[in-house]
């Protein structure tokens, strides 16, 4: 535990070195006394501190006093100047003395202002916290967990993450991109956790961007992604501060763009798009079952229409006779082959889904659901499609909504149409070949140098504790070794033990 030095410049240098010169750490130096030889400074975190109250109740009274009065008029020795300022010139409550840098960083990074003076080994922390109002996430709702989300203000977003990770190792680097818009971009990472190769690659790709305007983080995502023509996303985005904090604690890098509530995170792996923040707030058994359900829905969303087309067109012998008879009776009056039937229903559902997104919230969901019911029932009664096809398309659509990441859901929707066309031409053999090609493609791509299919390929046994299933927190004692450079160990917790039950007659 390092004590505060008597040298003000040494203290300032230590703060800047420890925080890595983070963009949101403000160091305000003030010189007072005869000929302004005595230096003092205020340290605070921009976004977490009420800057208006700081200027009104701290900086302004101090400056006015020094301007209107001379220190020679007061019988105050240099050793007593700091207590004199604390008693007479800081008209706020909650002024507490600090003596070491642990207290300094804890206070500064939670929103308080730290006051230091030349020649003194003590300082004061001033309670001037200002929590930013939270927004409600639009697309990432949870049953259990924080409801706050990012806003369109860069410094508010960095402050929301600072609230989650109160540590000087959390670094913030700033850049300006866009010849005309001059958009501020911030890179956030935890020193000692992030892989330096990944960090340097992020910096290099951002420095290479030469564009006139950046209006949303989607511009940055498209300019730094690994695979430009792959349907699978290699950059993860979210609007929840707790998701970003969890990614930073696993060694990822966050890219925050001013003017948008969507924050980017890299590297982004395939497994990450099927995890939700709520998985870590519920008990491990419940979270594991839900994750398994998501992977089941992955295969349903991707393969259900294609398998239905292949079986009803080429492989009728695979179906039980009663089921086959029912399907053939339903299709007796349908004038189109199974592929055209499935394509029409999928296209109608995509139109209804897009209409529901663009319509006002009050009527959007109603129109999409009622439209799907009316169109589906009318199509069956008109003999355009069969009832079995409507059921398959409905189950497929519902399964696609189970996937937490919207961009991964879009990728599966694109591949679904491709597999449907292959199934119409080659049956189940074509579907199997399509799956093989997709798996080979997934194994070939990387996200900022990290294999996309980690921990499945390459196989990393330690990371399976947080993959298809989530083990209890006391078992996840290590961070992902594929992402973290040094500090791999999370903790050393033991399983909870039951208390010894004594009998009624035992003493």
């Amino acid at each position: 535990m390092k004590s505060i030095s008597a040298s003000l410049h040494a203290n300032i240098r230590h703060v800047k070195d420890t925080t890595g010169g983070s963009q949101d750490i403000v160091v305000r130096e003030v010189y007072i006394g005869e000929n302004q030889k005595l230096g003092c400074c205020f340290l605070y975190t921009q976004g977490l501190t009420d800057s208006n109250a700081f200027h009104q109740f701290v900086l302004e009274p101090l400056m006015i006093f020094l301007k209107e009065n001379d220190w020679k008029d007061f019988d105050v020795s240099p050793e007593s100047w700091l207590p004199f300022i604390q008693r007479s010139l800081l008209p706020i409550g909650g002024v507490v003395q600090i003596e070491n840098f642990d207290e300094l960083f804890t206070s500064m990074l939670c929103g308080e202002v730290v006051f230091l003076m030349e020649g003194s080994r003590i300082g004061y922390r001033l309670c001037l916290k200002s929590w930013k109002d939270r927004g409600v996430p639009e697309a990432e709702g949870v049953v259990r967990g924080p409801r706050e989300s990012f806003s369109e203000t860069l410094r508010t977003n960095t402050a929301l993450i600072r609230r989650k990770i109160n540590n000087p190792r959390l670094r913030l680097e700033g850049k300006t991109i866009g010849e005309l818009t001059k958009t501020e971009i911030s890179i956030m990472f935890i020193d000692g956790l992030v892989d330096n190769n990944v960090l340097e690659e992020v910096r290099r790709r951002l420095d290479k961007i030469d564009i006139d305007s950046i209006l949303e983080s989607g511009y940055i995502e498209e300019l730094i992604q690994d695979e430009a023509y792959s349907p699978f996303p290699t950059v993860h985005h979210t609007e929840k501060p707790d998701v970003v904090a969890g990614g930073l604690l696993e060694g990822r890098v966050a890219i925050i763009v001013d003017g948008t509530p969507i924050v980017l995170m890299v590297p982004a792996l395939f497994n990450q798009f099927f995890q939700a923040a709520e998985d870590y707030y519920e008990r491990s058994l419940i979270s594991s079952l839900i994750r398994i359900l998501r992977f089941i829905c992955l295969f349903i969303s991707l393969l259900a229409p294609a398998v239905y087309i292949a079986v009803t067109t080429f492989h009728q012998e695979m179906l039980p006779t009663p089921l086959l008879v029912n399907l053939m009776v339903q299709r007796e009056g349908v004038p189109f082959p199974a592929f055209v039937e499935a394509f029409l229903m999928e296209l109608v559902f995509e139109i209804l889904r897009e209409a529901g997104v663009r319509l006002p919230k009050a009527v959007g969901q109603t129109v999409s659901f009622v439209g799907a019911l009316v169109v589906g029932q009318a199509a069956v009664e008109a003999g355009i499609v069969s009832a079995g096809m409507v059921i398959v398309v409905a189950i497929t659509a519902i399964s696609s909504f189970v996937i937490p990441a919207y961009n991964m859901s879009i990728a599966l929707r694109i591949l679904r149409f491709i597999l449907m066309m292959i199934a119409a031409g080659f049956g189940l053999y074509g579907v199997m070949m399509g799956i093989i090609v997709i798996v080979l493609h997934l194994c070939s791509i990387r996200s900022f140098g990290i294999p996309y299919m980690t921990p499945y390929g390459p196989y990393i046994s330690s990371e399976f504790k947080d993959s298809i299933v989530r083990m209890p927190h006391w078992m996840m004692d290590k961070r992902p070794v594929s992402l973290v450079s040094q500090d791999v160990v999370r903790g050393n917790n033991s399983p909870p033990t039951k208390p010894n039950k004594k009998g009624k007659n035992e003493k």
Side-chain angles (χ1 to χ4, degrees), residues 340-365:
V340 177
E341 187 183 358
F343 183 83
L344 289 175
M345 287 303 301
E346 287 285 350
L347 182 62
V348 169
F349 185 81
E350 293 296 332
I351 293 173
L352 288 172
R353 185 194 328 230
E354 190 66 17
V357 171
R358 304 305 166 195
L359 286 171
K361 289 183 179 180
V363 297
Q365 293 183 353

Side-chain angles (χ1 to χ4, degrees), residues 16 19-27 44-47 154-155 158 162 170-176 183-189 256 258:
K16 291 182 177 180
T19 58
S22 292
Q23 192 181 27
D24 58 342
I25 302 300
V26 179
V27 180
Y44 63 92
T45 303
Q46 190 176 8
L154 176 67
R155 195 55 64 219
T158 59
R162 284 280 186 191
L170 179 61
R171 304 293 170 81
L172 182 65
E173 296 181 1
K175 296 180 180 294
T176 302
T183 306
E184 291 187 49
I185 311 291
S186 291
I187 305 173
M188 241 179 175
F189 59 92
I256 309 170
D258 189 25

Side-chain angles (χ1 to χ4, degrees), residues 143-329:
V143 177
R144 178 176 180 176
R147 266 73 170 178
E148 63 185 1
S149 67
F150 291 117
S151 70
E152 283 75 16
T153 306
L154 176 67
R155 195 55 64 219
T156 299
N157 295 341
T158 59
L160 290 171
I161 300 174
R162 284 280 186 191
R163 287 180 61 186
K164 303 289 183 182
I165 307 176
N166 186 354
N167 195 291
R169 291 168 60 186
L170 179 61
R171 304 293 170 81
L172 182 65
E173 296 181 1
K175 296 180 180 294
T176 302
I177 301 179
E179 292 294 330
L180 298 179
T181 58
K182 303 295 182 182
T183 306
E184 291 187 49
I185 311 291
S186 291
I187 305 173
M188 241 179 175
F189 59 92
I190 298 180
D191 186 42
L193 293 185
V194 66
D195 189 331
N196 291 327
N197 295 326
V198 173
L199 181 59
E200 288 300 324
E201 183 66 18
V202 173
R203 291 168 176 162
R204 185 186 68 82
R205 295 189 188 185
L206 290 176
D207 291 337
K208 284 179 60 180
I209 296 177
D210 184 11
I211 194 172
D212 62 344
S213 62
I214 298 291
L215 301 179
E216 211 273 337
S217 58
Y219 286 62
I220 301 294
E221 179 180 358
E222 192 168 352
L223 291 169
I224 67 173
Q225 64 182 351
D226 286 74
E227 300 291 333
Y229 300 104
S230 173
F232 295 100
T234 55
V235 178
H236 186 254
H237 61 76
T238 180
E239 57 180 344
K240 290 177 62 61
D242 55 323
V243 175
V244 175
L248 294 174
L249 292 170
E250 290 184 343
R252 291 183 168 86
V253 180
I255 303 172
I256 309 170
V257 182
D258 189 25
T260 175
I262 305 299
V263 174
L264 309 179
M265 277 198 303
V266 294
L269 308 181
F270 180 79
N271 194 54
Q272 182 181 357
F273 293 96
F274 297 91
Q275 300 174 354
E278 197 172 1
D279 295 348
Y280 301 94
Y281 307 143
E282 292 286 357
R283 292 181 294 122
S284 60
L285 177 62
I286 299 173
S287 300
S288 299
L289 292 175
I290 293 176
R291 280 194 183 178
I292 293 173
L293 177 64
R294 291 193 193 115
F295 280 96
I296 293 174
C297 291
L298 158 66
F299 290 103
I300 294 175
S301 175
L302 184 64
L303 299 174
V307 171
Y308 181 85
I309 293 171
V311 170
T312 56
T313 305
F314 296 99
H315 311 281
Q316 295 93 340
E317 68 277 2
M318 297 180 63
L319 298 175
T321 302
L323 177 60
L324 179 61
V325 171
N326 287 335
L327 292 177
M328 292 301 102
V329 170

